[in-house]
Amino acid sequence: MLVRENLSLTFFTPDLSQNSGAIYFETGISAGFPSPADDFKQERLSLDGILVKNKLATFYARVSGQSMIGAGLDDNDLLVIDRSLEPAHNKIAVCFLDGEFTVKRLKVQADGVWLQPENPNYKPIKITEENNFVIWGIVTNVIKKV
């Protein structure tokens, strides 16, 4: 069954006013065989400082829905969205379509622009002149819970 999904995204603005952050161990954590850790260099790490390139144009939004699971965007993931980036073919974009926000992969083809879901249960959306359509921003990172 193919369905058209519209997402209701909740937007958050990054707070870059503080330079605190979580403790970061620079040595890395082995995903293979454990290695002896002689020195654990500690410093503070702010994810905003790493994930946000343009603080005035960057927002966070939470995913609601399953249409992008093939791209690794699962329900309740937190998206980092940069409004200063140029939309381009194959980028994942947050779009405002006919009064609702949605996140899809942009497909720019000779016959027009398509919003391509990453789940075979959802159908692509062809953008027409009748649509109220704005590419709101480009997804740069995804933050997941495990």
Side-chain angles (χ1 to χ4, degrees):
M1 174 172 115
L2 294 178
V3 295
R4 179 173 167 174
E5 175 188 30
N6 290 314
L7 300 177
S8 60
L9 298 175
T10 304
F11 290 94
F12 308 93
T13 306
D15 179 10
L16 299 176
S17 63
Q18 299 177 1
N19 290 336
S20 59
I23 293 176
Y24 171 64
F25 292 99
E26 191 169 326
T27 56
I29 298 174
S30 175
F33 293 105
S35 62
D38 298 331
D39 297 324
F40 281 103
K41 182 179 176 186
Q42 284 188 38
E43 57 185 66
R44 291 254 174 221
L45 174 79
S46 166
L47 290 180
D48 280 346
I50 293 172
L51 300 178
V52 176
K53 302 301 180 217
N54 183 345
K55 71 178 181 177
L56 296 177
T58 301
F59 297 85
Y60 297 109
R62 202 163 290 286
V63 174
S64 172
Q66 299 292 319
S67 71
M68 293 299 288
I69 58 173
L73 307 183
D74 296 308
D75 190 50
N76 215 29
D77 283 352
L78 191 62
L79 303 178
V80 181
I81 304 156
D82 190 334
R83 295 193 69 192
S84 70
L85 297 177
E86 285 291 320
H89 175 72
N90 230 23
K91 294 284 186 184
I92 296 176
V94 171
C95 303
F96 188 74
L97 176 63
D98 298 331
E100 297 184 26
F101 282 100
T102 188
V103 59
K104 300 286 185 282
R105 188 173 300 279
L106 296 174
K107 293 292 181 183
V108 181
Q109 300 176 333
D111 65 341
V113 175
W114 293 80
L115 301 182
Q116 180 69 46
E118 297 280 340
N119 180 334
N121 294 326
Y122 297 87
K123 60 183 178 180
I125 302 167
K126 183 169 181 12
I127 302 304
T128 66
E129 290 182 12
E130 288 79 39
N131 292 117
N132 177 9
F133 175 70
V134 175
I135 298 174
W136 198 80
I138 301 299
V139 175
T140 59
N141 292 282
V142 180
I143 301 170
K144 303 180 147 302
K145 287 186 179 180
V146 291

